[in-house]
Amino acid sequence: VEDQEQRLRLERLYVEHAKAVRLYAGRRVDAAAADDAVSEVFVIAWRRLDDVPGDARPWLLGCARNVISHQRRRAGRDAALIHQLQAVSVGRPVGDEVLASAFEQLSEQDRELLMLIAWEGLKPSEAAEVLGCSRQTLAVRLHRARKRLAEAMRQSQSTGRAGDARPTREISR
Amino acid sequence: MNDLIERLRAANPLPDCPEPSLDEVWRRIDLADAATGRATAHLNAGSRPPSGVRRVGTAALLSFSLAVVLGIVVLAALTLGHGHRHQRTASNQGSSVVVTRSSREQLLRSLEALRRPQDQADREALRIFGRGGLLPNYLSTHPLPFCGSLCEVQLQRRLSRSFMIPGSRYRAAIFPVAVTHTTRELRRGELAVVLSVKGPRMGIARSSAIPASGGTPAASGPVSADALRANGVVVSFEVRGSAEINRAAILVPDGVRNVVLENLTLTSPRTGTRLASLPTLSAPVRDDIALVTLKHMTASRLHIARDPDGPDGGFHRGKGCTLESTVYIVPATAQMLWKSASATRRSTIHFYAYIEAKPTPGQRFPSPRCGA
């Protein structure tokens, strides 16, 4: 009975959050790796069902973040795969070249934070949980990241970089 | 500044995605459970929670771990003490069918296809092979003929796999099912395999005892892991409009490289007498499947007299009242020789063969609307 209840709980978690996790992963890695990450996240959730909080989304996205980092580290051992990963353009804003160009100039930490807020639609407190930092720290980081993005956009516009062809960016490992 | 976030939000590269499936998660959980047990699975490198969650008091974590370990030890002792096989509830069904872990492990060990992750094509196969309600609804609810109304099977969706048979245009699908009532062949909770094949000009063939559409007989019921290792699973099917209408797909366990069919015999379904003996044939195994073509299966080549009253186990094919052919469905038996790197095994297999008889000049389609 306990096993069945746990299974039902996992199924509920999946129904409620799988899409959010898939979108999170899909904005950071290619489709196959994203599918793999989603499965892995929920396997982890199954193993640690007692640790999953009531508001599970930040917890699951945090898991997804770790899983993707792990995927990248693992891929880093294979030179061919690195090449393949570097050729994939993911996590790049679309339809706004100035913004996309500026966004690519930010550090991975800034990009991740902005993506969590803008694309994952998290509140700052939830983003703090995903990134494993305090709310105060996150507020400071977010303020600085926005500032850096605004600055990068100004630079892009002034130097005409927006028209540069930069189809891909390297995925940091 | 908020405008910047709004602008970034509008430039979202992936605003939506298809609904992911839970099947792959269950498959991984099952594999991890089967391989290492749930306790050791905790040690998996990818299983660390986000750092915010890691800030749990060390004492509480140790207590929890200790409780889990103790729980597992007590559970194992109870299980061994009662001599019961560990069972788990099938998650994808609403009723009380249980799947024995040993049969699940056996099956996973036997077929490589079941061990790989479930992909979109596998999930799609559940829909494609299920056209007309035959799968999965039919399998999950319909009583099987060999055990009467008491016997039902339940499709294990997350273990279902499909793949193209190498070198052909046929797609094979493996549908594991759990048996809900003990029969002569299968125990309650045992996992068994239904093999299904689909391709051009053939419809859907399946190995289950469930009658297929169009009166096409099936060779056997779901096959247990033991039976799979002993005899494989055979699905024969008829390809319309082909010079050689008989094909058979033979699913065999991992490691088999080649199958040879000897002493191939066709038997009259009406009298039980031998109709014909066919020459030995062999086929390579790729992805655990051998595709066999039975050649020259026409009534005239096999010197089988046409039944003037129509087929006893078969069907007529034609356009309007023009009869194009009569196809007899007759039981076939063969000695199958399996060759793997380590051993050669011999077993007897049974399937149905299709024998085509061309009509005599002027012979009309035997139906009342054509004056028969």
Side-chain angles (χ1 to χ4, degrees):
Chain A
V1 173
E2 193 186 339
D3 190 46
Q4 186 72 349
E5 281 173 2
Q6 287 182 330
R7 281 173 174 266
L8 285 174
R9 190 171 166 214
L10 184 74
E11 282 174 6
R12 271 200 300 274
L13 273 179
Y14 198 87
V15 168
E16 287 168 14
H17 302 295
K19 202 166 179 180
V21 176
R22 175 62 178 79
L23 285 169
Y24 173 92
R27 289 170 189 137
R28 284 153 182 84
V29 289
D30 65 277
D35 287 337
D36 183 57
V38 173
S39 299
E40 198 55 37
V41 165
F42 283 90
V43 170
I44 293 166
W46 167 254
R47 289 180 198 145
R48 307 187 60 93
L49 216 47
D50 294 336
D51 293 339
V52 181
D55 180 15
R57 194 156 68 121
W59 191 94
L60 293 167
L61 295 186
C63 273
R65 188 165 175 259
N66 289 342
V67 167
I68 289 169
S69 303
H70 185 65
Q71 277 179 345
R72 287 174 178 165
R73 275 199 303 277
R74 206 169 40 194
R77 296 181 205 127
D78 188 330
L81 212 51
I82 294 170
H83 182 74
Q84 192 185 339
L85 278 171
Q86 285 176 344
V88 176
S89 176
V90 286
R92 189 176 196 268
V94 291
D96 190 336
E97 265 312 307
V98 175
L99 178 67
S101 176
F103 193 72
E104 286 182 335
Q105 293 171 46
L106 300 181
S107 68
E108 170 142 16
Q109 197 181 38
D110 284 350
R111 281 199 305 263
E112 175 69 14
L113 178 50
L114 291 170
M115 282 195 279
L116 284 174
I117 300 291
W119 294 347
E120 263 52 71
L122 297 187
K123 297 176 203 157
S125 58
E126 293 172 326
E129 196 177 337
V130 173
L131 298 175
C133 63
S134 69
R135 292 179 192 189
Q136 290 75 15
T137 306
L138 185 115
V140 173
R141 279 191 198 170
L142 181 59
H143 177 72
R144 287 176 182 165
R146 281 170 161 172
K147 214 169 149 182
R148 280 192 278 265
L149 180 61
E151 179 59 30
M153 285 177 72
R154 262 195 301 277
Q155 279 181 4
S156 288
Q157 279 169 324
S158 63
T159 57
R161 283 204 56 187
D164 286 358
R166 253 189 106 181
T168 60
R169 68 174 169 78
E170 288 195 3
I171 295 172
S172 60
R173 283 169 274 122
Chain B
M1 286 289 194
N2 275 338
D3 287 350
L4 211 52
I5 294 293
E6 283 305 318
R7 193 168 163 181
L8 191 56
R9 191 167 289 149
N12 188 343
L14 187 64
D16 202 5
C17 70
E19 205 69 51
S21 163
L22 184 58
D23 294 342
E24 171 58 16
V25 178
W26 286 129
R27 194 196 69 83
R28 288 183 187 207
I29 289 169
D30 288 339
L31 271 183
D33 282 358
T36 59
R38 197 167 164 191
T40 51
H42 276 285
L43 301 175
N44 189 310
S47 66
R48 297 197 317 167
S51 47
V53 178
R54 280 204 298 274
R55 287 197 219 110
V56 178
T58 311
L61 203 61
L62 282 173
S63 310
F64 175 74
S65 306
L66 196 61
V68 168
V69 171
L70 279 174
I72 289 169
V73 169
V74 169
L75 192 66
L78 283 173
T79 308
L80 289 173
H82 286 84
H84 284 313
R85 184 192 307 275
H86 180 83
Q87 296 182 327
R88 64 186 309 142
T89 306
S91 67
N92 58 341
Q93 305 291 344
S95 73
S96 60
V97 67
V98 290
V99 177
T100 58
R101 174 170 287 183
S102 60
S103 78
R104 183 188 295 264
E105 288 171 3
Q106 264 190 315
L107 212 52
L108 289 177
R109 273 200 302 270
S110 302
L111 295 172
E112 196 275 334
L114 300 186
R115 297 195 295 273
R116 69 164 169 75
Q118 189 177 54
D119 59 22
Q120 191 57 37
D122 300 324
R123 289 188 281 274
E124 187 72 357
L126 286 164
R127 188 180 65 77
I128 293 170
F129 285 80
R131 273 186 195 141
L134 291 171
L135 274 172
N137 295 334
Y138 196 102
L139 265 184
S140 61
T141 58
H142 199 275
L144 291 172
F146 65 83
C147 53
S149 60
L150 287 176
C151 179
E152 291 179 359
V153 293
Q154 290 196 336
L155 178 65
Q156 303 296 294
R157 298 174 67 93
R158 64 175 189 270
L159 277 178
S160 299
R161 299 287 182 276
S162 86
F163 52 92
M164 294 303 293
I165 299 177
S168 79
R169 292 163 66 197
Y170 303 107
R171 176 169 284 278
I174 301 171
F175 295 112
V177 294
V179 179
T180 57
H181 292 83
T182 298
T183 67
R184 203 173 51 152
E185 294 86 359
L186 296 158
R187 293 184 304 278
R188 176 183 163 81
E190 189 168 5
L191 265 192
V193 163
V194 172
L195 175 66
S196 200
V197 179
K198 188 179 185 311
R201 296 181 297 177
M202 64 161 289
I204 298 174
R206 69 175 61 78
S207 65
S208 158
I210 298 167
S213 58
T216 308
S220 67
V223 171
S224 68
D226 283 341
L228 170 72
R229 277 209 278 268
N231 303 312
V233 188
V234 186
V235 172
S236 59
F237 51 94
E238 180 237 359
V239 181
R240 292 187 301 275
S242 169
E244 306 296 351
I245 64 169
N246 274 276
R247 305 279 192 286
I250 306 172
L251 180 69
V252 291
D254 293 348
V256 178
R257 294 188 306 198
N258 192 36
V259 296
V260 178
L261 300 185
E262 294 176 336
N263 303 325
L264 228 160
T265 306
L266 305 178
T267 312
S268 165
R270 181 181 292 177
T271 62
T273 54
R274 178 184 293 191
L275 289 175
S277 293
L278 302 173
T280 297
L281 54 91
S282 71
V285 175
R286 288 160 70 188
D287 291 351
D288 291 344
I289 284 257
L291 189 64
V292 176
T293 302
L294 304 181
K295 293 184 176 174
H296 314 307
M297 299 286 279
T298 61
S300 56
R301 293 290 294 264
L302 297 172
H303 307 291
I304 297 171
R306 282 191 297 269
D307 185 342
D309 299 324
D312 183 6
F315 51 91
H316 300 290
R317 176 170 290 137
K319 282 181 186 163
C321 286
T322 307
L323 179 65
E324 291 178 342
S325 65
T326 299
V327 178
Y328 297 91
I329 303 172
V330 299
T333 308
Q335 293 291 312
M336 182 160 67
L337 220 63
W338 297 8
K339 291 179 181 173
S340 68
S342 56
T344 299
R345 296 184 66 166
R346 187 181 288 272
S347 64
T348 303
I349 60 166
H350 304 275
F351 57 98
Y352 287 96
Y354 300 84
I355 301 172
E356 192 172 37
K358 291 294 177 191
T360 52
Q363 191 178 353
R364 289 167 67 79
F365 201 97
S367 79
R369 68 183 165 83
C370 298

